[in-house]
Amino acid sequence: MAERAARGGNRTVANPTARRVQSVYFTLLIGNTLAASFIWGVNTLFLLDAGLTNFEAFAANAFFSVGMVIFEVPTGVVADTLGRRVSYLLGTVTLAATTVLYYLLWVAHSPFWMWAIVSVLLGLGFTFFSGAVEAWLVDALTATGYTGQLERVFGRGLALSGAAMFIGSIAGGVVAQATNLGVPFLIRAGILVVMFVVAALVMHDLGFTPEDRAHPLRATKEVFSASVKYGLGRRPVRYVMFASFFTTGVGFYVFYALQPYLVELWGDTGAYSIAGLAAAILSGAQVIGGLLAPWVRRLFHKRTTTIIASLVVSSLVLVALGVNQNFWLALVLLTVWGLVDAAAGPVQQAYLNDMIPSQQRATVLSFDSLLGSTGGAVIQPVLGRSADVLGYPGSLLVSGGIQALAVPFLWLSRKQGSPADVATGVSPETPDDVTESGSPV
């Protein structure tokens, strides 16, 4: 059943199957984000309350990134062999269990090495999600004949997850202030258990046939080879991946550093609800930015124009946050930072997905996440140490400079002239006979 596009405007009428696919995708996003965001507003304060220093707290976050680096390819094997649904279900179980372990470490005021181990296992839980859900969506939409803008679907998903993040982050801060910093973690684990049941009932692989790889080690080798061929082996994809090293690494740090940064500007170290305000503002910006993404895409002929412009603005805002000393101005700058990032996010997702074949989609997206997580593992401890030495404002200044290093790589991706840079809908599956630049032979 083909999709009917209304040529007289920008409206796209989806067929019923495509609408059902999008509904399932949105449901999974909302559930995942609601669960995760219950701790986002208080995570740094939670770690500091457990007796860790700034360096140790962000080093714990870095070990989370290390876990994602270690397990991205093996869990990519799961998504590309056993299926995206199995990968998602394993993710909910793993993340729920490790979240409870995090809570127990806080109760016991455990030593740093234990936080490091459990943080690695938390990374394992998230790697089951990374790439798999996004690949599931694109494959299923392609199978239904959807020809609308990917930016529209990703944008709506971003807006809905932003709404869930707003609810979760505010609720997490309020719950922490009314009870203690550990309760939001228990709530997160409970929501993940509910999402396991929901996904088991409504998520089914569509438009994707898992590959038959008999031996796990051989499968891992094949997945890694596919990641190299369709990821690092193709210049426009490769440069986007290199850029993610800087953007993801800085993004991880800034998101969590904003909690104590705002509390410090407010002047009350016990104001946990203020810490949750940072995540709430970013979630609201995410809602607006996600809804604006299709409109932003139409402003520019090339997707990379949007991506590069947003990154430049984002880096400048981080510098402004670093020199700012006013709480209310910080909220304004934080809103701008969230808006530009959210509006460009779906555009970058669509750009990357349009350059990857279906059978390797989850693998390459996971590999992209791997490089981003590597950036998080390297950059977060550095910025955490800079916060100990220079304070949070000084670390935000450094963050802006590091993030700007991604701009040249995105410019190089743009220079390759990939057809995905000017595409407006779901592209047919990328053929195997492509040149390194991504253009058909």
Side-chain angles (χ1 to χ4, degrees):
M1 194 184 323
E3 163 133 340
R4 302 191 308 274
R7 300 298 180 188
N10 294 315
R11 291 175 55 89
T12 302
V13 183
N15 62 58
T17 308
R19 285 199 297 268
R20 283 196 295 272
V21 167
Q22 293 178 54
S23 296
V24 172
Y25 173 68
F26 296 151
T27 299
L28 298 178
L29 274 185
I30 291 170
N32 279 10
T33 307
L34 184 63
S37 62
F38 249 89
I39 67 102
W40 283 348
V42 297
N43 184 68
T44 304
L45 298 175
F46 173 83
L47 295 173
L48 296 175
D49 188 64
L52 303 182
T53 65
N54 275 314
F55 173 75
E56 289 173 332
F58 287 103
N61 289 341
F63 273 101
F64 164 80
S65 299
V66 168
M68 295 191 72
V69 171
I70 294 172
F71 296 113
E72 279 291 2
V73 172
T75 54
V77 173
V78 173
D80 281 340
T81 55
L82 301 180
R84 283 69 151 121
R85 177 175 181 267
V86 171
S87 184
Y88 181 90
L89 293 175
L90 288 173
T92 57
V93 171
T94 305
L95 199 52
T98 49
T99 298
V100 172
L101 286 177
Y102 233 48
Y103 169 80
L104 294 176
L105 292 181
W106 172 76
V107 170
H109 272 60
S110 301
F112 173 75
W113 66 267
M114 297 183 71
W115 289 96
I117 293 173
V118 177
S119 293
V120 170
L121 296 177
L122 276 170
L124 167 62
F126 274 97
T127 57
F128 280 114
F129 295 141
S130 64
V133 180
E134 191 172 311
W136 175 86
L137 169 71
V138 177
D139 289 341
L141 287 179
T142 302
T144 64
Y146 180 82
T147 58
Q149 280 189 324
L150 277 177
E151 285 93 343
R152 182 176 297 276
V153 182
F154 285 136
R156 288 175 178 173
L158 189 66
L160 289 171
S161 62
M165 178 179 167
F166 180 84
I167 295 171
S169 56
I170 288 291
V174 171
V175 167
Q177 191 155 344
T179 55
N180 59 61
L181 286 165
V183 173
F185 287 78
L186 297 179
I187 294 175
R188 178 201 213 184
I191 296 174
L192 286 166
V193 171
V194 173
M195 290 310 301
F196 174 89
V197 176
V198 171
L201 294 174
V202 303
M203 186 183 185
H204 305 284
D205 288 329
L206 179 63
F208 169 77
T209 302
E211 294 188 19
D212 183 18
R213 297 187 177 108
H215 195 280
L217 291 179
R218 189 186 315 143
T220 300
K221 181 179 178 181
E222 291 174 1
V223 166
F224 184 78
S225 297
S227 299
V228 171
K229 178 179 180 181
Y230 297 102
L232 295 179
R234 302 185 64 214
R235 286 177 181 162
V237 179
R238 178 198 313 164
Y239 293 130
V240 173
M241 289 181 169
F242 287 167
S244 71
F245 176 90
F246 300 100
T247 57
T248 304
V250 170
F252 276 149
Y253 173 79
V254 171
F255 182 85
Y256 290 114
L258 286 171
Q259 302 164 19
Y261 168 76
L262 287 182
V263 169
E264 189 176 275
L265 285 179
W266 183 253
D268 181 0
T269 57
Y272 299 147
S273 57
I274 294 296
L277 186 60
I281 288 175
L282 290 178
S283 65
Q286 188 170 302
V287 172
I288 299 171
L291 294 175
L292 288 176
W295 175 78
V296 171
R297 173 67 185 93
R298 291 193 295 271
L299 289 178
F300 304 102
H301 178 60
K302 293 187 175 183
R303 284 166 165 163
T304 51
T305 303
T306 302
I307 301 167
I308 293 171
S310 71
L311 187 58
V312 171
V313 173
S314 175
S315 299
L316 292 174
V317 170
L318 289 179
V319 172
L321 280 168
V323 299
N324 170 64
Q325 296 182 347
N326 181 274
F327 175 81
W328 300 106
L329 180 57
L331 297 186
V332 174
L333 292 171
L334 177 57
T335 302
V336 174
W337 186 71
L339 279 173
V340 296
D341 184 66
V347 179
Q348 180 162 323
Q349 284 178 285
Y351 177 53
L352 196 56
N353 271 279
D354 271 349
M355 295 189 288
I356 307 170
S358 172
Q359 287 300 114
Q360 288 78 32
R361 184 166 283 123
T363 296
V364 177
L365 292 175
S366 290
F367 201 72
D368 174 59
S369 179
L370 182 151
L371 289 181
S373 298
T374 302
V378 174
I379 292 172
Q380 285 191 92
V382 172
L383 293 175
R385 181 57 181 163
S386 72
D388 282 331
V389 176
L390 305 173
Y392 292 112
S395 70
L396 291 174
L397 277 171
V398 177
S399 298
I402 293 176
Q403 183 174 266
L405 296 176
V407 173
F409 291 104
L410 291 170
W411 180 258
L412 287 171
S413 179
R414 174 192 179 90
K415 296 293 287 183
Q416 306 313 307
S418 170
D421 204 3
V422 295
T424 56
V426 176
S427 298
E429 182 171 318
T430 306
D432 287 345
D433 55 338
V434 292
T435 65
E436 194 183 42
S437 68
S439 302
V441 175

